[in-house]
Amino acid sequence: MEKLTLQDIKDIATYEKERPEFQKHIIALKKRRRVSVGDKVTLLFENRETVRSQIQEMCRVERIVHDDKIQEEIDVYNGLIPEPNHLAATVFVEIVQMDQIRAILDSLIGLDEHVSIQIGKEKIPAIFEPGRSRDDRIAAVQYVSFKFSPEQIELLKDESVDLYLTTDHPNYKEQAVVSSDIRREFVSDFAI
């Protein structure tokens, strides 16, 4: 998938005019790209448009208007755009009980070794971004990618083959069926 460039990012004034419609588009897109695995882990599968939205919003909120500063944002966020033969996602550990944040996060230390996509009998482990998890701590937001072989991409395209997102952490064993709509979003990422 092609990385974003400075030409892809609208100036703040232009973006403000387009923002209401663009936000509707992004909300619908993210809905088609979000998978909850149990009640604590959600993956939002990123693509060029979801990342562009994040950059546009960051520039808007931070009032970033200089090209060199916008380019810094692009350089950071381009890492979320999947490489060839990969899917990329932001992993959210969702905790609603504020007084339980540390305890729940501590119980999920090591989650970065226990998330995968299952296509039929094929298991594709998540590759977590380094530095977001340690032996004694885990971040509530993490970035992952899944590297597919050409054969696994073909399996992904075959909707008769079961597709799941799984966590097999000792303290969090969950599985989510990936809907056909989301599956088609994944397939479209490989077509780019």
Side-chain angles (χ1 to χ4, degrees), residues 30-61:
K30 286 183 175 184
K31 186 176 181 178
R32 293 191 315 266
R33 301 182 68 84
R34 178 175 281 118
V35 180
S36 294
V37 186
D39 64 344
K40 290 185 181 61
V41 175
T42 298
L43 284 84
L44 173 61
F45 285 84
E46 305 287 358
N47 69 5
R48 201 167 188 274
E49 280 297 283
T50 64
V51 173
R52 185 168 79 85
S53 166
Q54 290 180 48
I55 295 168
Q56 289 288 177
E57 286 297 310
M58 184 62 69
C59 290
R60 178 180 181 266
V61 169

PDB file of all heavy atoms in Angstrom, residues 30-61:
ATOM      1  N   LYS A  30     -14.006   2.841   9.367  1.00  0.00           N
ATOM      2  CA  LYS A  30     -13.459   2.215  10.576  1.00  0.00           C
ATOM      3  C   LYS A  30     -14.409   1.155  11.133  1.00  0.00           C
ATOM      4  O   LYS A  30     -13.963   0.142  11.663  1.00  0.00           O
ATOM      5  CB  LYS A  30     -13.128   3.270  11.636  1.00  0.00           C
ATOM      6  CG  LYS A  30     -11.885   4.062  11.294  1.00  0.00           C
ATOM      7  CD  LYS A  30     -11.541   5.043  12.402  1.00  0.00           C
ATOM      8  CE  LYS A  30     -10.235   5.752  12.127  1.00  0.00           C
ATOM      9  NZ  LYS A  30      -9.847   6.646  13.236  1.00  0.00           N
ATOM     10  N   LYS A  31     -15.686   1.382  11.004  1.00  0.00           N
ATOM     11  CA  LYS A  31     -16.657   0.383  11.459  1.00  0.00           C
ATOM     12  C   LYS A  31     -16.468  -0.923  10.689  1.00  0.00           C
ATOM     13  O   LYS A  31     -16.587  -2.009  11.265  1.00  0.00           O
ATOM     14  CB  LYS A  31     -18.081   0.916  11.280  1.00  0.00           C
ATOM     15  CG  LYS A  31     -19.133   0.012  11.848  1.00  0.00           C
ATOM     16  CD  LYS A  31     -20.508   0.632  11.736  1.00  0.00           C
ATOM     17  CE  LYS A  31     -21.535  -0.290  12.349  1.00  0.00           C
ATOM     18  NZ  LYS A  31     -22.870   0.273  12.310  1.00  0.00           N
ATOM     19  N   ARG A  32     -16.152  -0.814   9.407  1.00  0.00           N
ATOM     20  CA  ARG A  32     -15.933  -2.007   8.578  1.00  0.00           C
ATOM     21  C   ARG A  32     -14.562  -2.630   8.807  1.00  0.00           C
ATOM     22  O   ARG A  32     -14.261  -3.677   8.237  1.00  0.00           O
ATOM     23  CB  ARG A  32     -16.057  -1.648   7.089  1.00  0.00           C
ATOM     24  CG  ARG A  32     -17.432  -1.248   6.647  1.00  0.00           C
ATOM     25  CD  ARG A  32     -17.537  -1.159   5.122  1.00  0.00           C
ATOM     26  NE  ARG A  32     -16.449  -0.467   4.459  1.00  0.00           N
ATOM     27  CZ  ARG A  32     -16.449   0.826   4.141  1.00  0.00           C
ATOM     28  NH1 ARG A  32     -17.493   1.590   4.457  1.00  0.00           N
ATOM     29  NH2 ARG A  32     -15.424   1.372   3.503  1.00  0.00           N
ATOM     30  N   ARG A  33     -13.729  -1.994   9.603  1.00  0.00           N
ATOM     31  CA  ARG A  33     -12.356  -2.454   9.792  1.00  0.00           C
ATOM     32  C   ARG A  33     -12.042  -2.745  11.262  1.00  0.00           C
ATOM     33  O   ARG A  33     -10.890  -2.942  11.616  1.00  0.00           O
ATOM     34  CB  ARG A  33     -11.377  -1.428   9.228  1.00  0.00           C
ATOM     35  CG  ARG A  33     -11.610  -1.175   7.723  1.00  0.00           C
ATOM     36  CD  ARG A  33     -10.630  -0.208   7.149  1.00  0.00           C
ATOM     37  NE  ARG A  33      -9.296  -0.757   7.115  1.00  0.00           N
ATOM     38  CZ  ARG A  33      -8.818  -1.546   6.163  1.00  0.00           C
ATOM     39  NH1 ARG A  33      -9.574  -1.893   5.144  1.00  0.00           N
ATOM     40  NH2 ARG A  33      -7.592  -2.001   6.223  1.00  0.00           N
ATOM     41  N   ARG A  34     -13.071  -2.780  12.111  1.00  0.00           N
ATOM     42  CA  ARG A  34     -12.874  -2.972  13.556  1.00  0.00           C
ATOM     43  C   ARG A  34     -13.385  -4.355  13.961  1.00  0.00           C
ATOM     44  O   ARG A  34     -14.492  -4.742  13.590  1.00  0.00           O
ATOM     45  CB  ARG A  34     -13.637  -1.890  14.316  1.00  0.00           C
ATOM     46  CG  ARG A  34     -13.535  -2.013  15.817  1.00  0.00           C
ATOM     47  CD  ARG A  34     -14.209  -0.861  16.528  1.00  0.00           C
ATOM     48  NE  ARG A  34     -13.307   0.290  16.488  1.00  0.00           N
ATOM     49  CZ  ARG A  34     -13.587   1.445  15.901  1.00  0.00           C
ATOM     50  NH1 ARG A  34     -14.744   1.639  15.318  1.00  0.00           N
ATOM     51  NH2 ARG A  34     -12.712   2.432  15.909  1.00  0.00           N
ATOM     52  N   VAL A  35     -12.550  -5.062  14.736  1.00  0.00           N
ATOM     53  CA  VAL A  35     -12.932  -6.380  15.233  1.00  0.00           C
ATOM     54  C   VAL A  35     -12.671  -6.420  16.736  1.00  0.00           C
ATOM     55  O   VAL A  35     -11.545  -6.184  17.182  1.00  0.00           O
ATOM     56  CB  VAL A  35     -12.125  -7.510  14.549  1.00  0.00           C
ATOM     57  CG1 VAL A  35     -12.547  -8.873  15.088  1.00  0.00           C
ATOM     58  CG2 VAL A  35     -12.267  -7.453  13.034  1.00  0.00           C
ATOM     59  N   SER A  36     -13.714  -6.716  17.514  1.00  0.00           N
ATOM     60  CA  SER A  36     -13.560  -6.915  18.952  1.00  0.00           C
ATOM     61  C   SER A  36     -13.316  -8.386  19.218  1.00  0.00           C
ATOM     62  O   SER A  36     -14.064  -9.238  18.746  1.00  0.00           O
ATOM     63  CB  SER A  36     -14.809  -6.449  19.701  1.00  0.00           C
ATOM     64  OG  SER A  36     -14.946  -5.055  19.567  1.00  0.00           O
ATOM     65  N   VAL A  37     -12.263  -8.657  19.973  1.00  0.00           N
ATOM     66  CA  VAL A  37     -11.920 -10.021  20.364  1.00  0.00           C
ATOM     67  C   VAL A  37     -12.187 -10.091  21.862  1.00  0.00           C
ATOM     68  O   VAL A  37     -11.365  -9.672  22.676  1.00  0.00           O
ATOM     69  CB  VAL A  37     -10.444 -10.354  20.032  1.00  0.00           C
ATOM     70  CG1 VAL A  37     -10.157 -11.818  20.324  1.00  0.00           C
ATOM     71  CG2 VAL A  37     -10.122 -10.026  18.584  1.00  0.00           C
ATOM     72  N   GLY A  38     -13.371 -10.572  22.213  1.00  0.00           N
ATOM     73  CA  GLY A  38     -13.790 -10.529  23.605  1.00  0.00           C
ATOM     74  C   GLY A  38     -14.181  -9.111  23.986  1.00  0.00           C
ATOM     75  O   GLY A  38     -14.434  -8.258  23.129  1.00  0.00           O
ATOM     76  N   ASP A  39     -14.191  -8.836  25.284  1.00  0.00           N
ATOM     77  CA  ASP A  39     -14.648  -7.524  25.758  1.00  0.00           C
ATOM     78  C   ASP A  39     -13.512  -6.560  26.098  1.00  0.00           C
ATOM     79  O   ASP A  39     -13.760  -5.421  26.465  1.00  0.00           O
ATOM     80  CB  ASP A  39     -15.569  -7.686  26.970  1.00  0.00           C
ATOM     81  CG  ASP A  39     -14.866  -8.290  28.178  1.00  0.00           C
ATOM     82  OD1 ASP A  39     -13.771  -8.863  28.019  1.00  0.00           O
ATOM     83  OD2 ASP A  39     -15.420  -8.193  29.290  1.00  0.00           O
ATOM     84  N   LYS A  40     -12.255  -7.006  25.952  1.00  0.00           N
ATOM     85  CA  LYS A  40     -11.145  -6.141  26.333  1.00  0.00           C
ATOM     86  C   LYS A  40     -10.185  -5.789  25.201  1.00  0.00           C
ATOM     87  O   LYS A  40      -9.394  -4.867  25.348  1.00  0.00           O
ATOM     88  CB  LYS A  40     -10.358  -6.775  27.476  1.00  0.00           C
ATOM     89  CG  LYS A  40     -11.101  -6.809  28.786  1.00  0.00           C
ATOM     90  CD  LYS A  40     -10.233  -7.345  29.903  1.00  0.00           C
ATOM     91  CE  LYS A  40     -10.979  -7.405  31.210  1.00  0.00           C
ATOM     92  NZ  LYS A  40     -12.128  -8.266  31.204  1.00  0.00           N
ATOM     93  N   VAL A  41     -10.211  -6.517  24.105  1.00  0.00           N
ATOM     94  CA  VAL A  41      -9.250  -6.278  23.022  1.00  0.00           C
ATOM     95  C   VAL A  41      -9.996  -5.999  21.724  1.00  0.00           C
ATOM     96  O   VAL A  41     -10.865  -6.773  21.328  1.00  0.00           O
ATOM     97  CB  VAL A  41      -8.288  -7.480  22.847  1.00  0.00           C
ATOM     98  CG1 VAL A  41      -7.375  -7.272  21.644  1.00  0.00           C
ATOM     99  CG2 VAL A  41      -7.459  -7.697  24.113  1.00  0.00           C
ATOM    100  N   THR A  42      -9.649  -4.882  21.094  1.00  0.00           N
ATOM    101  CA  THR A  42     -10.216  -4.518  19.798  1.00  0.00           C
ATOM    102  C   THR A  42      -9.072  -4.194  18.851  1.00  0.00           C
ATOM    103  O   THR A  42      -8.107  -3.547  19.238  1.00  0.00           O
ATOM    104  CB  THR A  42     -11.144  -3.295  19.938  1.00  0.00           C
ATOM    105  OG1 THR A  42     -12.222  -3.625  20.804  1.00  0.00           O
ATOM    106  CG2 THR A  42     -11.705  -2.872  18.592  1.00  0.00           C
ATOM    107  N   LEU A  43      -9.198  -4.668  17.630  1.00  0.00           N
ATOM    108  CA  LEU A  43      -8.227  -4.343  16.593  1.00  0.00           C
ATOM    109  C   LEU A  43      -8.911  -3.483  15.539  1.00  0.00           C
ATOM    110  O   LEU A  43      -9.989  -3.840  15.057  1.00  0.00           O
ATOM    111  CB  LEU A  43      -7.666  -5.598  15.934  1.00  0.00           C
ATOM    112  CG  LEU A  43      -6.629  -6.365  16.748  1.00  0.00           C
ATOM    113  CD1 LEU A  43      -7.298  -7.308  17.725  1.00  0.00           C
ATOM    114  CD2 LEU A  43      -5.710  -7.136  15.835  1.00  0.00           C
ATOM    115  N   LEU A  44      -8.281  -2.373  15.208  1.00  0.00           N
ATOM    116  CA  LEU A  44      -8.731  -1.520  14.115  1.00  0.00           C
ATOM    117  C   LEU A  44      -7.702  -1.673  13.002  1.00  0.00           C
ATOM    118  O   LEU A  44      -6.545  -1.267  13.155  1.00  0.00           O
ATOM    119  CB  LEU A  44      -8.834  -0.059  14.541  1.00  0.00           C
ATOM    120  CG  LEU A  44      -9.134   0.930  13.413  1.00  0.00           C
ATOM    121  CD1 LEU A  44     -10.478   0.631  12.753  1.00  0.00           C
ATOM    122  CD2 LEU A  44      -9.079   2.356  13.914  1.00  0.00           C
ATOM    123  N   PHE A  45      -8.122  -2.266  11.907  1.00  0.00           N
ATOM    124  CA  PHE A  45      -7.215  -2.517  10.793  1.00  0.00           C
ATOM    125  C   PHE A  45      -7.053  -1.237   9.978  1.00  0.00           C
ATOM    126  O   PHE A  45      -8.022  -0.673   9.489  1.00  0.00           O
ATOM    127  CB  PHE A  45      -7.701  -3.699   9.960  1.00  0.00           C
ATOM    128  CG  PHE A  45      -7.442  -4.995  10.665  1.00  0.00           C
ATOM    129  CD1 PHE A  45      -8.329  -5.475  11.607  1.00  0.00           C
ATOM    130  CD2 PHE A  45      -6.275  -5.701  10.421  1.00  0.00           C
ATOM    131  CE1 PHE A  45      -8.063  -6.647  12.297  1.00  0.00           C
ATOM    132  CE2 PHE A  45      -6.000  -6.881  11.101  1.00  0.00           C
ATOM    133  CZ  PHE A  45      -6.897  -7.360  12.049  1.00  0.00           C
ATOM    134  N   GLU A  46      -5.807  -0.804   9.905  1.00  0.00           N
ATOM    135  CA  GLU A  46      -5.478   0.483   9.284  1.00  0.00           C
ATOM    136  C   GLU A  46      -5.272   0.337   7.780  1.00  0.00           C
ATOM    137  O   GLU A  46      -4.872  -0.722   7.299  1.00  0.00           O
ATOM    138  CB  GLU A  46      -4.195   1.050   9.907  1.00  0.00           C
ATOM    139  CG  GLU A  46      -4.228   1.196  11.414  1.00  0.00           C
ATOM    140  CD  GLU A  46      -5.091   2.328  11.939  1.00  0.00           C
ATOM    141  OE1 GLU A  46      -5.687   3.078  11.129  1.00  0.00           O
ATOM    142  OE2 GLU A  46      -5.172   2.475  13.177  1.00  0.00           O
ATOM    143  N   ASN A  47      -5.551   1.414   7.080  1.00  0.00           N
ATOM    144  CA  ASN A  47      -5.192   1.518   5.668  1.00  0.00           C
ATOM    145  C   ASN A  47      -4.817   2.978   5.403  1.00  0.00           C
ATOM    146  O   ASN A  47      -4.743   3.794   6.326  1.00  0.00           O
ATOM    147  CB  ASN A  47      -6.312   1.009   4.752  1.00  0.00           C
ATOM    148  CG  ASN A  47      -7.540   1.879   4.730  1.00  0.00           C
ATOM    149  OD1 ASN A  47      -7.601   2.956   5.321  1.00  0.00           O
ATOM    150  ND2 ASN A  47      -8.561   1.422   4.032  1.00  0.00           N
ATOM    151  N   ARG A  48      -4.579   3.296   4.172  1.00  0.00           N
ATOM    152  CA  ARG A  48      -4.118   4.633   3.810  1.00  0.00           C
ATOM    153  C   ARG A  48      -5.111   5.716   4.269  1.00  0.00           C
ATOM    154  O   ARG A  48      -4.711   6.765   4.762  1.00  0.00           O
ATOM    155  CB  ARG A  48      -3.925   4.662   2.296  1.00  0.00           C
ATOM    156  CG  ARG A  48      -3.025   5.737   1.794  1.00  0.00           C
ATOM    157  CD  ARG A  48      -2.654   5.458   0.323  1.00  0.00           C
ATOM    158  NE  ARG A  48      -1.640   6.373  -0.112  1.00  0.00           N
ATOM    159  CZ  ARG A  48      -1.892   7.580  -0.590  1.00  0.00           C
ATOM    160  NH1 ARG A  48      -3.138   8.002  -0.713  1.00  0.00           N
ATOM    161  NH2 ARG A  48      -0.897   8.374  -0.955  1.00  0.00           N
ATOM    162  N   GLU A  49      -6.393   5.460   4.119  1.00  0.00           N
ATOM    163  CA  GLU A  49      -7.406   6.457   4.486  1.00  0.00           C
ATOM    164  C   GLU A  49      -7.516   6.642   6.000  1.00  0.00           C
ATOM    165  O   GLU A  49      -7.683   7.767   6.469  1.00  0.00           O
ATOM    166  CB  GLU A  49      -8.773   6.081   3.908  1.00  0.00           C
ATOM    167  CG  GLU A  49      -8.932   6.449   2.450  1.00  0.00           C
ATOM    168  CD  GLU A  49      -8.850   7.949   2.207  1.00  0.00           C
ATOM    169  OE1 GLU A  49      -9.830   8.670   2.484  1.00  0.00           O
ATOM    170  OE2 GLU A  49      -7.797   8.406   1.739  1.00  0.00           O
ATOM    171  N   THR A  50      -7.460   5.567   6.764  1.00  0.00           N
ATOM    172  CA  THR A  50      -7.551   5.713   8.225  1.00  0.00           C
ATOM    173  C   THR A  50      -6.338   6.472   8.747  1.00  0.00           C
ATOM    174  O   THR A  50      -6.460   7.294   9.659  1.00  0.00           O
ATOM    175  CB  THR A  50      -7.687   4.357   8.938  1.00  0.00           C
ATOM    176  OG1 THR A  50      -6.513   3.569   8.738  1.00  0.00           O
ATOM    177  CG2 THR A  50      -8.932   3.611   8.486  1.00  0.00           C
ATOM    178  N   VAL A  51      -5.183   6.215   8.164  1.00  0.00           N
ATOM    179  CA  VAL A  51      -3.963   6.912   8.592  1.00  0.00           C
ATOM    180  C   VAL A  51      -4.005   8.375   8.162  1.00  0.00           C
ATOM    181  O   VAL A  51      -3.646   9.272   8.935  1.00  0.00           O
ATOM    182  CB  VAL A  51      -2.714   6.185   8.048  1.00  0.00           C
ATOM    183  CG1 VAL A  51      -1.445   6.992   8.331  1.00  0.00           C
ATOM    184  CG2 VAL A  51      -2.604   4.785   8.662  1.00  0.00           C
ATOM    185  N   ARG A  52      -4.478   8.639   6.957  1.00  0.00           N
ATOM    186  CA  ARG A  52      -4.607  10.038   6.512  1.00  0.00           C
ATOM    187  C   ARG A  52      -5.522  10.810   7.452  1.00  0.00           C
ATOM    188  O   ARG A  52      -5.249  11.960   7.818  1.00  0.00           O
ATOM    189  CB  ARG A  52      -5.138  10.110   5.077  1.00  0.00           C
ATOM    190  CG  ARG A  52      -5.157  11.539   4.535  1.00  0.00           C
ATOM    191  CD  ARG A  52      -5.410  11.572   3.041  1.00  0.00           C
ATOM    192  NE  ARG A  52      -6.792  11.400   2.691  1.00  0.00           N
ATOM    193  CZ  ARG A  52      -7.689  12.392   2.645  1.00  0.00           C
ATOM    194  NH1 ARG A  52      -7.343  13.626   2.955  1.00  0.00           N
ATOM    195  NH2 ARG A  52      -8.922  12.139   2.293  1.00  0.00           N
ATOM    196  N   SER A  53      -6.590  10.167   7.885  1.00  0.00           N
ATOM    197  CA  SER A  53      -7.510  10.796   8.821  1.00  0.00           C
ATOM    198  C   SER A  53      -6.799  11.171  10.129  1.00  0.00           C
ATOM    199  O   SER A  53      -7.001  12.267  10.662  1.00  0.00           O
ATOM    200  CB  SER A  53      -8.677   9.840   9.109  1.00  0.00           C
ATOM    201  OG  SER A  53      -9.402  10.255  10.226  1.00  0.00           O
ATOM    202  N   GLN A  54      -5.966  10.268  10.628  1.00  0.00           N
ATOM    203  CA  GLN A  54      -5.246  10.557  11.872  1.00  0.00           C
ATOM    204  C   GLN A  54      -4.301  11.747  11.709  1.00  0.00           C
ATOM    205  O   GLN A  54      -4.207  12.598  12.595  1.00  0.00           O
ATOM    206  CB  GLN A  54      -4.477   9.323  12.322  1.00  0.00           C
ATOM    207  CG  GLN A  54      -5.390   8.209  12.803  1.00  0.00           C
ATOM    208  CD  GLN A  54      -4.624   6.988  13.245  1.00  0.00           C
ATOM    209  OE1 GLN A  54      -3.670   7.080  14.000  1.00  0.00           O
ATOM    210  NE2 GLN A  54      -5.047   5.827  12.780  1.00  0.00           N
ATOM    211  N   ILE A  55      -3.618  11.793  10.574  1.00  0.00           N
ATOM    212  CA  ILE A  55      -2.699  12.906  10.330  1.00  0.00           C
ATOM    213  C   ILE A  55      -3.477  14.213  10.203  1.00  0.00           C
ATOM    214  O   ILE A  55      -3.106  15.232  10.795  1.00  0.00           O
ATOM    215  CB  ILE A  55      -1.845  12.651   9.077  1.00  0.00           C
ATOM    216  CG1 ILE A  55      -0.925  11.440   9.293  1.00  0.00           C
ATOM    217  CG2 ILE A  55      -1.020  13.894   8.721  1.00  0.00           C
ATOM    218  CD1 ILE A  55      -0.255  10.934   8.033  1.00  0.00           C
ATOM    219  N   GLN A  56      -4.579  14.196   9.436  1.00  0.00           N
ATOM    220  CA  GLN A  56      -5.394  15.409   9.270  1.00  0.00           C
ATOM    221  C   GLN A  56      -5.894  15.906  10.623  1.00  0.00           C
ATOM    222  O   GLN A  56      -5.840  17.107  10.902  1.00  0.00           O
ATOM    223  CB  GLN A  56      -6.589  15.136   8.350  1.00  0.00           C
ATOM    224  CG  GLN A  56      -6.251  14.936   6.911  1.00  0.00           C
ATOM    225  CD  GLN A  56      -5.821  16.187   6.157  1.00  0.00           C
ATOM    226  OE1 GLN A  56      -5.482  16.089   5.003  1.00  0.00           O
ATOM    227  NE2 GLN A  56      -5.817  17.349   6.773  1.00  0.00           N
ATOM    228  N   GLU A  57      -6.360  14.992  11.452  1.00  0.00           N
ATOM    229  CA  GLU A  57      -6.879  15.388  12.767  1.00  0.00           C
ATOM    230  C   GLU A  57      -5.764  15.909  13.671  1.00  0.00           C
ATOM    231  O   GLU A  57      -5.962  16.867  14.410  1.00  0.00           O
ATOM    232  CB  GLU A  57      -7.617  14.226  13.424  1.00  0.00           C
ATOM    233  CG  GLU A  57      -8.962  13.948  12.798  1.00  0.00           C
ATOM    234  CD  GLU A  57      -9.944  15.109  12.939  1.00  0.00           C
ATOM    235  OE1 GLU A  57     -10.132  15.633  14.061  1.00  0.00           O
ATOM    236  OE2 GLU A  57     -10.552  15.495  11.916  1.00  0.00           O
ATOM    237  N   MET A  58      -4.590  15.286  13.619  1.00  0.00           N
ATOM    238  CA  MET A  58      -3.462  15.753  14.429  1.00  0.00           C
ATOM    239  C   MET A  58      -3.063  17.165  14.004  1.00  0.00           C
ATOM    240  O   MET A  58      -2.863  18.046  14.856  1.00  0.00           O
ATOM    241  CB  MET A  58      -2.279  14.794  14.298  1.00  0.00           C
ATOM    242  CG  MET A  58      -1.114  15.153  15.188  1.00  0.00           C
ATOM    243  SD  MET A  58      -1.508  15.102  16.945  1.00  0.00           S
ATOM    244  CE  MET A  58      -1.715  13.365  17.179  1.00  0.00           C
ATOM    245  N   CYS A  59      -2.987  17.401  12.707  1.00  0.00           N
ATOM    246  CA  CYS A  59      -2.647  18.742  12.214  1.00  0.00           C
ATOM    247  C   CYS A  59      -3.707  19.756  12.630  1.00  0.00           C
ATOM    248  O   CYS A  59      -3.378  20.888  13.007  1.00  0.00           O
ATOM    249  CB  CYS A  59      -2.480  18.727  10.693  1.00  0.00           C
ATOM    250  SG  CYS A  59      -1.011  17.847  10.129  1.00  0.00           S
ATOM    251  N   ARG A  60      -4.953  19.357  12.593  1.00  0.00           N
ATOM    252  CA  ARG A  60      -6.050  20.241  12.973  1.00  0.00           C
ATOM    253  C   ARG A  60      -5.981  20.595  14.458  1.00  0.00           C
ATOM    254  O   ARG A  60      -6.046  21.765  14.838  1.00  0.00           O
ATOM    255  CB  ARG A  60      -7.380  19.566  12.654  1.00  0.00           C
ATOM    256  CG  ARG A  60      -8.603  20.357  13.051  1.00  0.00           C
ATOM    257  CD  ARG A  60      -9.871  19.582  12.689  1.00  0.00           C
ATOM    258  NE  ARG A  60     -11.040  20.335  13.036  1.00  0.00           N
ATOM    259  CZ  ARG A  60     -11.698  20.216  14.193  1.00  0.00           C
ATOM    260  NH1 ARG A  60     -11.292  19.348  15.103  1.00  0.00           N
ATOM    261  NH2 ARG A  60     -12.767  20.955  14.421  1.00  0.00           N
ATOM    262  N   VAL A  61      -5.856  19.575  15.303  1.00  0.00           N
ATOM    263  CA  VAL A  61      -5.860  19.791  16.753  1.00  0.00           C
ATOM    264  C   VAL A  61      -4.628  20.565  17.204  1.00  0.00           C
ATOM    265  O   VAL A  61      -4.722  21.482  18.028  1.00  0.00           O
ATOM    266  CB  VAL A  61      -5.958  18.436  17.493  1.00  0.00           C
ATOM    267  CG1 VAL A  61      -5.699  18.584  18.974  1.00  0.00           C
ATOM    268  CG2 VAL A  61      -7.312  17.803  17.246  1.00  0.00           C
TER     269      VAL A  61
END
